[in-house]
Every structure is written in structure tokens, then in C-alpha cells.
Amino acid sequence: MKVAESYYRATAPGDSYPALAGRQEARVCIIGAGFAGLASAMSLMEHGERDVVLLEAECVGHGASGRNGGFVFGGYSLDEQALLATVGAEQGRRLYQLTLGAVKQIRRRIVEYGIECEATHGGIYLANWFDDPRVLDERQRFMHDYLGVEWQRISPADFAERARSERYFGALYEENAFHFHPLKYAQGLARALGAAGVKVHEASRASAIEPLQRTSSGGARSGWRVATAGGEVVCDEVVVCCGGYIDRLYPALAGAILPIATYVMATEPLDERLPQALTSQAAIYDTRFAFDYYRPLQDTRLLWGGRISIRSRSPEDVARLLYEDMLKVYPQLAGVKVDYAWSGLMSYGRHKMPQLGKLPNGVWYGMGFGGHGVGPTSLAGDVLSAALMGELSKIDQFAAWGLPTNGGPAGLLAAQLTYWYYELRDWMRQ
Ligand SMILES: Cc1cc2nc3c(=O)[nH]c(=O)nc-3n(C[C@H](O)[C@H](O)[C@H](O)COP(=O)(O)OP(=O)(O)OC[C@H]3O[C@@H](n4cnc5c(N)ncnc54)[C@H](O)[C@@H]3O)c2cc1C
């Protein structure tokens, strides 16, 4: 099977931005043009701060933000029960509500900046993989009682009709959620930033972040020098938003996240075969730890994602694995061609919550959004921009989750073993 890489990249070539050349001065330098970096720049810009340089090693949306499933919904990678267990019911509810605000904010930005990103406002189903109605009962009750959120119950018969699959045992429907072409959204944000005067530089990998003493008319003041191969940015504040692609940029940060891969594929256009699999425009994921996530695309392809691994795989291997997963749910799609398959790296802190804060030496960071980061990165933009403007109450809400070490290669192996353990548990339960 011969497949191409990213459907998103193939359908959204995007604008191009010049590499950083020579020296630039700015109040803020943000490193990484994924959703976290873009959202931080957007929030600064919307609050009147345009003296910002955004450096991207490759191109806008190169990382997880331009490769993901496109699900836009509330919540964090840390599930809601665990969130409330960690910080208590009141604070947990407040933090969850912030992610619903982020979903609203993404909708607003799509409209306000005219971003054409195939936003499909058809909601999202959480489908029950297990023949056990308590899974949905408990989740629905928890969402309602503790978070004030109404997820509609869909009976097994009704859901079998909507999803055209006998595999599930009913679902919960999150009406407020939607899905979109994430790379087009990232490119739309970059365009809005560029139009407002924020400087975006692609092919500009930050290679060093160094403290420096600057002199201004008021005397010496502290700041930073961010170096790239072709130039440098001298700035008052620096924000690192490099997600799972941070590599060795800043050990104090890189050592606190695990880069974990997950996979996505897109079928050929299915035309009249699509309604054989889905009668709704909603996106679907399921109740397993190792869940599938999929959605119809506007050109009648089915985009299918799943699996978590520390291994990178070829597009052909990804396509083979996900195709088998798809047939477990939709045997009627046997024989359809897979046109695209790719993988992306998520960044996980050990606690699975976003890591938003400032190192003791003054470097700001926003990372650790895991596999549930579209909403939380938008929220992170608000939190970080407020902090950069001196308002710390928002960022303090995330102080409970610091930068515990990722444990190096042993940490990665432990993550893979944990995933296999949960996969096995899912399998035994079904
Ligand atoms: C396949 C996949 C599917 C997913 N599906 C969903 C989903 O459906 N819904 C959801 O909510 N979440 C999903 N997620 C998670 C979500 O995409 C991420 O949490 C989120 O996009 C993280 O954004 P980020 O800005 O932190 O990181 P990224 O998007 O990875 O951005 C980091 C950027 O930093 C750049 N960079 C790295 N080092 C440097 C350097 N030295 N100098 C300059 N730039 C640098 C990288 O090139 C990259 O562009 C998925 C993730 C993956 C991988």
C-alpha cells in the first residue's frame, strides 16, 4: 500500500513567512508556532501588544497542531474525575469551565478573522465500546452533577443508526463541541497575526536562549537573546511553546515532557459510501483508554485516528494499523483505499495537565497539552498573555502542576507499558 503523508498539508499549503535574518528587538519572543504559541501571540495582540516575534523551526502548524484529529471540545488530557480529585470540586469545575470558554473563543476567532477551516458544528459523540450501560450512566451523571454540563444520552439502537455500526452500545452527545481542519485554523491565526503587525518567522529554529543585561534610557534591564541559525531576537520576555517537538532546546523544559506519538489516516473520498458509515456530521471517539477518534471530512473522506506509541512508524505502517481498526467498527468499508497516513507527537507531563508557568530564571513556558490540547492551548494563550502583562491570578491556577521529570528513556518505556496495560484492560473488559 502506497500512501502520502498528511492530508492536512496536502490540502492547505499555507502562506510562507521569511526566516529570521539579523537582529530583531521585541518585547516578547514566542518560540513555536503551534496552537499554544499562536494563541499566546493572538491574546497579546488582542490586548494591544503587537511587539511580538514568533519563531517557528519548520512551518506554521508543523507539530501536533497541524496534524491532529481536529476535535474541539472541553476538558484536558487529565480526565475530569482525576482533575476534581486533585484540586477539589470547586476549583476542578472552574478549570473545566475555562476549557468550554476556550471552545467558544476558537469559534469567535474563526468568525472574527474569517478563518476558512471547514468548521463543522455537528457536535461530538462519546461512543460506548463496552456492553455496560454504567459506563455512560456514570459519565453523564458526573458531567451533570459536578461540571454542570449536559451530555445527551443516545440509545444503542439510535446510535447504531447514526453511526451505522453495530460495534457500540449507545453514546453520549456533546452538542457544544465541533471539529475542523486544524492546519487551516493554525494558518488562519498566523495570517491574523501577520496582518496585525506581529512578526512570524518560519524556518527559524531557536538554538539557544540566553539571559542578557540590556541598557535602555532608564539604565540596565534584564532580557533575553534567542538565537537562530540566521539571526537573533533580543527581547524582554521569552515564551517556549515547543510541545513534543522541543528536542534539546531547553533541558529544564524538555526534561519535563514525554513526546508520545499518535496516528491518523484519511481514506479516499467515499462519495455515496460515506453514509454507509456515518449519517451525521458529528465526530466520534469511544470509551476505551486506547480509543479510536474519527470524523467525516467535507470531501467525503473519513479521517481516522488512534493508538499511542513511543515508536515512529512509516505512513504505510500507520495506514495498515488504522485500516484494521476502522474495519473493526465499519466492516462495510472493506476495500476502501487509504490515501494519507501520518503521525504526530503529543507532549505529556507526568500529571497529564498543561504546564504553564515561569522558570525561576524567568523563562515562560506553555506545554504538556497531551492528546487533548486544542481547547487548552487556546486557554493557555490567555493565561500566558495575562501573566506577561503582569496579571498572575490565571496562571496561578495551574501552579499545582509543575515540571516533574519525565524520567528519560525509562519514562518513555513506562509510558508505553502503561498504554499496553490499559489496552489489555480494555480488551479484557470488552
Ligand atoms: C495525531 C494527533 C491527534 C490529536 N488529536 C487531537 C484532537 O482531535 N483534539 C484535541 O484537542 N487535541 C488533539 N491532539 C493534541 C493537540 O494537537 C496538541 O495538544 C496541541 O496541538 C499542542 O500544541 P502545541 O502548540 O503545544 O504543540 P505543537 O503543535 O507540537 O507545536 C510546537 C511547535 O514548536 C515548534 N518548535 C519546536 N522546537 C522549536 C525550536 N527550537 N524553535 C522554533 N520552533 C520550534 C515545532 O516545529 C512546532 O510547530 C492531537 C495530537 C496529535 C499528535
Side-chain angles (χ1 to χ4, degrees):
M1 177 178 352
K2 184 80 201 128
V3 291
E5 280 192 61
S6 177
Y7 166 81
Y8 294 135
R9 193 61 63 190
T11 50
D15 306 321
S16 58
Y17 299 88
L20 180 72
R23 179 187 163 106
Q24 269 190 31
E25 296 227 359
R27 186 167 117 61
V28 182
C29 176
I30 299 172
I31 307 175
F35 286 154
L38 290 162
S40 301
M42 285 296 292
S43 293
L44 285 168
M45 181 269 271
E46 287 176 346
H47 286 92
E49 179 58 83
R50 289 154 193 228
D51 191 8
V52 177
V53 171
L54 179 56
L55 296 179
E56 166 54 48
E58 305 285 341
C59 49
V60 168
H62 166 78
S65 303
R67 302 165 187 244
N68 62 54
F71 285 46
V72 189
F73 48 3
Y76 301 91
S77 275
L78 184 68
D79 69 63
E80 291 82 23
Q81 270 106 331
L83 175 64
L84 269 63
T86 315
V87 290
E90 203 177 309
Q91 176 65 353
R93 181 181 170 121
R94 205 172 300 132
L95 286 167
Y96 181 82
Q97 291 292 338
L98 290 177
T99 64
L100 296 183
V103 171
K104 241 191 229 165
Q105 164 156 278
I106 295 170
R107 277 204 169 95
R108 171 183 67 77
R109 285 184 175 151
I110 289 172
V111 174
E112 197 167 319
Y113 300 100
I115 301 175
E116 287 177 13
C117 56
E118 298 167 29
T120 307
H121 300 279
I124 293 181
Y125 291 109
L126 171 60
N128 194 4
W129 190 265
F130 305 107
D131 186 7
D132 179 357
R134 285 172 308 178
V135 175
L136 298 186
D137 291 343
E138 284 163 16
R139 189 76 190 271
Q140 188 184 27
R141 206 173 312 121
F142 186 88
M143 296 308 290
H144 176 268
D145 293 353
Y146 288 93
L147 301 176
V149 168
E150 210 59 66
W151 283 5
Q152 192 192 336
R153 187 67 179 266
I154 313 293
S155 72
D158 193 357
F159 192 62
E161 179 55 30
R162 296 183 198 200
R164 292 284 158 113
S165 173
E166 299 298 322
R167 183 63 201 72
Y168 301 116
F169 299 89
L172 294 176
Y173 180 56
E174 189 180 349
E175 192 181 7
N176 177 46
F178 69 104
H179 56 95
F180 67 0
H181 188 308
L183 182 58
K184 287 189 179 174
Y185 179 66
Q187 291 170 345
L189 293 182
R191 206 166 299 136
L193 289 168
V198 169
K199 294 188 185 64
V200 181
H201 294 287
E202 294 180 323
S204 301
R205 180 177 297 278
S207 52
I209 304 171
E210 296 159 355
L212 56 90
Q213 289 295 317
R214 306 167 66 189
T215 45
S216 68
S217 47
R221 59 190 179 125
S222 60
W224 298 95
R225 174 180 174 271
V226 180
T228 69
E232 61 179 13
V233 181
V234 172
C235 54
D236 296 334
E237 306 283 5
V238 60
V239 190
V240 178
C241 296
C242 295
Y245 293 79
I246 190 166
D247 204 7
R248 277 183 283 269
L249 173 63
Y250 212 74
L253 297 175
I257 59 111
L258 289 168
I260 308 271
T262 171
Y263 308 130
V264 187
M265 71 171 192
T267 66
E268 63 183 324
L270 297 178
D271 300 319
E272 68 286 348
R273 289 188 79 175
L274 183 62
Q276 290 173 15
L278 279 175
T279 55
S280 95
Q281 284 300 304
I284 298 178
Y285 65 118
D286 68 66
T287 50
R288 284 169 302 168
F289 176 81
F291 56 85
D292 300 324
Y293 50 94
Y294 57 95
R295 62 192 185 92
L297 298 178
Q298 291 193 347
D299 58 3
T300 77
R301 297 172 196 272
L302 191 60
L303 179 134
W304 191 281
R307 310 242 173 180
I308 294 178
S309 176
I310 58 171
R311 282 180 55 192
S312 70
R313 287 191 159 91
S314 71
E316 286 73 22
D317 284 350
V318 169
R320 235 184 317 274
L321 277 174
L322 296 183
Y323 180 75
E324 282 167 18
D325 291 348
M326 181 182 76
L327 291 194
K328 285 180 198 150
V329 180
Y330 294 112
Q332 64 270 43
L333 292 184
V336 305
K337 220 170 125 262
V338 176
D339 279 350
Y340 301 93
W342 64 96
S343 55
L345 292 176
M346 307 171 284
S347 68
Y348 274 97
R350 269 175 41 195
H351 43 59
K352 292 169 79 180
M353 275 297 278
Q355 295 164 315
L356 308 177
K358 183 158 85 158
L359 290 173
N361 68 0
V363 171
W364 295 95
Y365 54 87
M367 58 186 203
F369 301 98
H372 198 128
V374 176
T377 45
S378 207
L379 163 61
D382 282 351
V383 168
L384 284 164
S385 76
L388 286 161
M389 292 184 293
E391 159 54 47
L392 296 175
S393 64
K394 289 184 179 176
I395 207 159
D396 285 348
Q397 299 186 86
F398 291 86
W401 298 279
L403 297 170
T405 172
N406 64 14
L412 268 182
L413 187 62
Q416 181 71 74
L417 291 173
T418 306
Y419 175 74
W420 283 334
Y421 164 73
Y422 280 108
E423 207 176 29
L424 182 69
R425 222 175 58 159
D426 284 344
W427 180 78
M428 284 165 66
R429 192 172 176 191
Q430 75 192 23

